[in-house]
Amino acid sequence: MPPPPPPQPPVPPPHHLLKKPTSLPDVIFTAFSLLVLFSTSPKPTSLFFIPNNNINKLSFPLYPRRFPKMSSPFTSSPNPRSPGRLPPPFATPQLLSDWLKPRLAADLFRSWGVKPGTKNVHNLWLEIAEGETSLADSSPPVRTVEVVVVRIVRNDGKLLLVESHQELSNGVVRHRGRPLSEKMKPGESVEAAVHRAVKEELGLGSLVEIGTLGSVVDCNSNSGIHGIVRILPGSYVKTVEERASASYPGLPARYLLHTVEAEVEGLPEGEFCTEELDEYGDLDEKNVAGSAVSCKKHFWKWIDPDSV
């Protein structure tokens, strides 16, 4: 019987199955990795869970963070004397004048308030302060104005009321030959502007209630008459006109015109005049209104609409 074969040495496992002993640096690296992993994992914003169809959802934070509102240097606060109206961008008429001088022809700018029928820089400052006018920063600046035009008619539209001329505070007579018109206030509706125009230019200010004509004074009489304003349906038309400003020579103007036809009961059948009181009375704290050219009397007459 042959002798048994000698025992074979054990076959070592493949090299890729050998497990290297863990060294101390590897342990430190693994621990550090686990620490980073848990520190960067998203955490619930609340300790409370709301069950919904066997699915747990995180609730919103109990005390959401609130950020304070930051004030902007471009935000204007309302004028305390007139709620809703923003203060003018020019604190005084002189600052407005200094801004205009390098942007306008010198000879035309000097004619403001001097040439008959023109207004001065105080008038323009008041228009800006009231929000009736805006200026584009250009050379020359462009003056933008929204205007309501009221074509007051009677006898089924056969006659149209126009303002023939005005008597200004400096004694100058300014010829007009146009229907009733008025610069609009910021945010004012066409209907409100129509009633205000009728009240201020065909009535006596504080004696007139919105929606009525109020007192119209005949220059040759002390009697007062009253009437009702009715805007004719379908008469509204909006147009844009760009032309040189007659009131401010050298200053181009862009007019946004809101035109309506209206009937006003109680107006005189012949020519008449009205007085306008305190045109800039609510902005007189700096005596600016006293330096501006204002309209003292309006002169009205009825004409054939086709002649306009």
Side-chain angles (χ1 to χ4, degrees):
M1 183 173 182
Q8 299 294 327
V11 180
H15 180 72
H16 67 279
L17 295 179
L18 292 177
K19 185 175 181 181
K20 295 181 180 180
T22 303
S23 62
L24 181 60
D26 292 337
V27 173
I28 296 175
F29 178 78
T30 302
F32 179 77
S33 300
L34 292 174
L35 178 64
V36 172
L37 176 63
F38 282 102
S39 64
T40 57
S41 299
K43 300 179 179 59
T45 56
S46 174
L47 297 178
F48 295 90
F49 294 85
I50 305 176
N52 184 12
N53 296 331
N54 297 325
I55 299 177
N56 291 333
K57 295 184 180 180
L58 294 177
S59 67
F60 288 102
L62 294 179
Y63 302 98
R65 185 177 180 183
R66 297 186 179 183
F67 297 91
K69 294 183 179 180
M70 303 299 292
S71 60
S72 169
F74 303 102
T75 303
S76 301
S77 58
N79 188 333
R81 295 189 70 253
S82 181
R85 185 201 306 156
L86 298 179
F90 303 98
T92 65
Q94 184 60 50
L95 291 177
L96 174 60
S97 177
D98 295 340
W99 185 84
L100 288 170
K101 282 180 181 179
R103 293 170 170 81
L104 295 175
D107 56 335
L108 295 177
F109 185 55
R110 285 194 297 266
S111 70
W112 287 19
V114 178
K115 181 181 178 181
T118 62
K119 298 180 179 180
N120 58 36
V121 71
H122 292 80
N123 289 93
L124 184 60
W125 185 90
L126 289 167
E127 291 180 12
I128 297 173
E130 285 283 285
E132 298 173 341
T133 291
S134 63
L135 292 178
D137 189 1
S138 56
S139 295
V142 178
R143 171 177 171 249
T144 299
V145 189
E146 284 201 66
V147 180
V148 64
V149 180
V150 189
R151 293 174 56 88
I152 299 177
V153 296
R154 77 177 193 191
N155 295 348
D156 296 327
K158 296 179 181 178
L159 292 176
L160 172 68
L161 183 69
V162 297
E163 185 179 23
S164 59
H165 58 284
Q166 297 174 344
E167 184 181 314
L168 305 181
S169 58
N170 57 6
V172 173
V173 174
R174 185 185 187 193
H175 295 279
R176 300 283 285 174
R178 63 182 65 176
L180 170 65
S181 60
E182 182 75 10
K183 292 184 288 293
M184 298 179 66
K185 304 289 185 182
E188 188 175 36
S189 67
V190 173
E191 292 81 1
V194 168
H195 289 301
R196 183 173 59 83
V198 171
K199 182 186 77 169
E200 292 180 359
E201 299 199 11
L202 293 178
L204 287 179
S206 61
L207 300 181
V208 184
E209 295 182 358
I210 295 294
T212 65
L213 175 64
S215 300
V216 178
V217 177
D218 187 340
C219 293
N220 301 318
S221 171
N222 292 325
S223 62
I225 49 181
H226 301 268
I228 305 298
V229 182
R230 295 189 182 92
I231 299 176
L232 301 183
S235 64
Y236 172 75
V237 177
K238 181 180 180 179
T239 56
V240 179
E241 291 185 7
E242 296 183 357
R243 60 177 185 268
S245 175
S247 299
Y248 306 104
L251 188 65
R254 182 172 181 265
Y255 296 96
L256 306 179
L257 303 177
H258 303 269
T259 304
V260 299
E261 288 193 355
E263 294 178 345
V264 180
E265 296 180 357
L267 288 176
E269 295 183 359
E271 297 184 6
F272 62 98
C273 76
T274 56
E275 295 184 356
E276 185 168 346
L277 304 178
D278 299 327
E279 184 177 1
Y280 300 114
D282 58 344
L283 280 176
D284 203 21
E285 67 273 12
K286 296 181 180 179
N287 199 29
V288 177
S291 303
V293 178
S294 60
C295 179
K296 292 301 183 184
K297 289 184 178 181
H298 302 270
F299 294 83
W300 307 92
K301 65 179 181 180
W302 298 94
I303 64 170
D304 183 349
D306 296 332
S307 63
V308 179

